[in-house]
């Protein structure tokens, strides 16, 4: 039967069956709204992103003091935006048939300072915001105009040492929260799910962070962490499943990307659409980045998430309309994937519904393909990123070759502008992966 002749209900049934069978799918979001309407109904707006950015600016001198590697970027947590022409050529080869038109670029959050993954954005932001409130309330800072380097003084550290920060994580959020919290002098406790890699736990312990291990998945680690933290009035819990602060920290990326695009003279307008592909776990990082980009570039930016076929939690929540009230385990999927940063069975409690009117679509990818991309990227551009981040590469491939995406381009009247388009693969993590782990990953087949 022709796809066109199927009703939307039938299409949804077929899609859900494929999702349940862990088949790779592409979904163009039928609930995406006209951008002006989406912005109007949204409870957050550009001024929230601006104030998050301003907060990061206030802390920039302190970050340079605590993490000298941030000096190169004046204490701001950001990464390079680079062209990846050789990757594009390889993806368009007869083996992969990506058919990517326009300029292919990569946003190198895999190299972000402090935490080596996109979690540096959200995680550091949330801890700094919490710190600012504590410091002003307790007279460590006189005001928001005070010298924030005071926060590294022995008196300040003595105060923070009486406070706890806790978080549940599959690994990278733990590294981000644990590292910044320990650097400020807090007692940091990271609750790690079974998916978390051993080297991530060792790295945290080496920084004086307490690591608590669970045999269950990410949702269990978060639930246990939340429970422990709630018992203690001096403990603050970073709640990846509900945090608006993490979300806004991620959204700041959009402001910095805008500046980079201007410097590179890359236009984003009706004639020059921008496509962005972001790996999705619980949804905070891709949701926040999408939210920021949509506030800035409106209908000219098209944001797609990519999830593993065994953990398509955001897609399942959106397609069923049940958001965080359904998990991938409920439909018989394992939630397990080598893309450990995306091994999430249930999406964030607020991101799904919040981002629904803004997001263009979601595609799912098999682990086997991720390892293939990991090798291709290394061979063509000499860049290493972790398996989770490789999911974004599949987004760019999908855009070129899937019937669903062709329909999206047609519906959005993008066809004749594709040659002028820019595609950004959001490389979400990788720089902290130890050498011997890289060797193993580069050999892995799936
Ligand atoms: C956490 C993570 C993501 C996804 O972020 P969510 O906020 O969980 O959706 C993607 N890639 C990497 C490497 C990550 O660590």
């Amino acid at each position: 039967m022709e796809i066109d002749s199927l009703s939307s209900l039938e299409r949804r049934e077929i899609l859900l069956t494929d999702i349940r069978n862990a088949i790779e799918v592409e979904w163009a979001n039928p609930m995406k709204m006209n951008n002006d309407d989406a912005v109007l109904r949204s409870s957050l707006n550009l001024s929230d992103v601006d104030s998050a950015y301003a907060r990061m600016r206030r802390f920039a001198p302190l970050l340079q003091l605590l993490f000298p590697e941030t000096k190169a970027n004046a204490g701001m947590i950001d990464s390079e935006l680079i062209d990846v022409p050789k990757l594009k050529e390889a993806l368009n080869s007869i083996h992969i048939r990506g058919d990517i038109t326009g300029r292919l670029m990569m946003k190198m959050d895999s190299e972000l300072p402090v935490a080596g993954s996109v979690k540096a954005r959200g995680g550091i932001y949330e801890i700094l915001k919490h710190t600012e409130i504590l410091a002003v309330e307790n007279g460590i800072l006189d005001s928001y105009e005070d010298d924030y380097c005071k926060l590294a003084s022995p008196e300040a550290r003595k105060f923070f040492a009486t406070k706890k920060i806790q978080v549940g994580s599959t690994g990278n959020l733990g590294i981000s929260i644990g590292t910044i919290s320990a650097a400020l002098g807090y007692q940091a406790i990271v609750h790690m799910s079974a998916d978390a890699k051993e080297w991530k736990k060792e790295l945290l312990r080496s920084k004086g962070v307490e690591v608590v291990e669970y045999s269950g998945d990410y949702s269990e680690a978060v639930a246990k962490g939340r429970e422990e933290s709630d018992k203690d009035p001096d403990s603050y819990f970073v709640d990846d499943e509900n945090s608006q602060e993490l979300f806004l920290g991620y959204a700041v990326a959009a402001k910095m990307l805008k500046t980079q695009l201007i410097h590179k003279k890359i236009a984003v307008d009706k004639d020059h659409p921008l496509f962005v592909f972001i790996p999705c776990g619980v949804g905070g990082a891709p949701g926040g980045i999408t939210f920021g980009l949509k506030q800035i570039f409106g209908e000219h930016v098209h944001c797609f998430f990519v999830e593993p076929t065994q953990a398509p939690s955001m897609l399942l929540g959106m397609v069923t309309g049940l958001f965080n009230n359904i998990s991938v385990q409920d439909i018989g999927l394992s939630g397990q994937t080598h893309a450990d940063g995306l091994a999430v069975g249930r999406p964030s409690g607020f991101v799904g519904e919040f981002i629904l009117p803004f997001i263009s679509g979601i595609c799912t990818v098999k682990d086997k393909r991720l390892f293939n991309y990991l090798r291709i990227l290394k061979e063509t551009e000499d860049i290493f990123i972790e398996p989770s981040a490789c999911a974004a590469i599949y987004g760019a491939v999908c855009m070129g070759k899937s019937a669903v995406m062709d329909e999206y381009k047609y519906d959005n009247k993008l066809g004749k502008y594709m040659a002028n388009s820019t595609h950004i693969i959001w490389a979400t993590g990788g720089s902290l992966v130890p050498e011997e782990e890289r060797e193993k990953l580069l050999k892995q087949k799936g």
Side-chain angles (χ1 to χ4, degrees), residues 17 101 209 229 277 282 421:
T17 304
T101 42
V209 174
S229 187
F277 307 100
V282 75
S421 66

Side-chain angles (χ1 to χ4, degrees), residues 25-134:
V25 298
E26 301 93 36
W27 176 72
N29 175 15
M31 277 89 68
K32 178 165 160 274
M33 287 168 75
N34 163 299
N35 198 65
D36 293 343
D37 294 340
V39 168
L40 271 179
R41 83 185 259 292
S42 164
S43 58
L44 295 171
N45 56 44
L46 187 58
S47 70
D48 297 295
V49 185
D50 289 340
S51 75
Y53 178 79
R55 179 166 290 113
M56 290 308 291
R57 290 289 293 258
R58 292 199 287 278
F59 275 96
L62 177 70
L63 287 178
Q64 290 182 64
L65 199 66
L66 297 177
F67 304 102
E69 76 257 37
T70 63
K71 281 189 184 150
N73 206 9
M76 292 302 278
I77 304 291
D78 197 19
S79 69
E80 276 189 86
L81 174 68
I82 62 168
D83 279 290
V84 282
K86 294 189 207 121
L87 174 68
K88 178 180 164 184
E89 197 179 311
L91 295 177
N92 282 351
S93 71
I94 49 164
H95 306 293
I96 300 184
R97 297 181 189 278
D99 204 11
I100 299 165
T101 42
R103 188 168 178 171
L104 187 65
M105 305 188 86
M106 202 172 247
K107 180 67 176 153
M108 300 301 289
D109 278 9
S110 48
E111 305 287 324
L112 279 180
V114 185
S117 84
V118 69
K119 301 299 193 308
R121 296 184 183 279
I124 292 173
Y125 175 75
E126 176 152 358
I127 297 306
L128 294 183
K129 176 160 185 192
H130 174 66
T131 299
E132 190 175 55
I133 293 169
L134 278 182

Side-chain angles (χ1 to χ4, degrees), residues 171-210:
N172 285 343
L173 184 62
I175 292 181
S176 172
I177 299 290
T179 305
I180 179 72
S181 301
L184 286 163
Y186 289 104
Q187 301 171 49
I189 305 168
V190 175
H191 301 264
M192 287 271 200
S193 63
D195 314 280
K197 301 280 180 253
E198 207 48 51
W199 68 264
K200 294 184 179 177
K201 299 177 195 168
E202 277 164 32
L203 178 71
L204 279 172
R205 291 193 182 108
S206 77
K207 293 176 192 282
V209 174
E210 186 183 330

Side-chain angles (χ1 to χ4, degrees), residues 117-119 172 240 250 279-286 341-342 344 386 388-389 428-429:
S117 84
V118 69
K119 301 299 193 308
N172 285 343
D240 197 17
Y250 293 124
C280 178
V282 75
L342 314 181
V344 173
E386 58 186 273
S388 297
T428 44

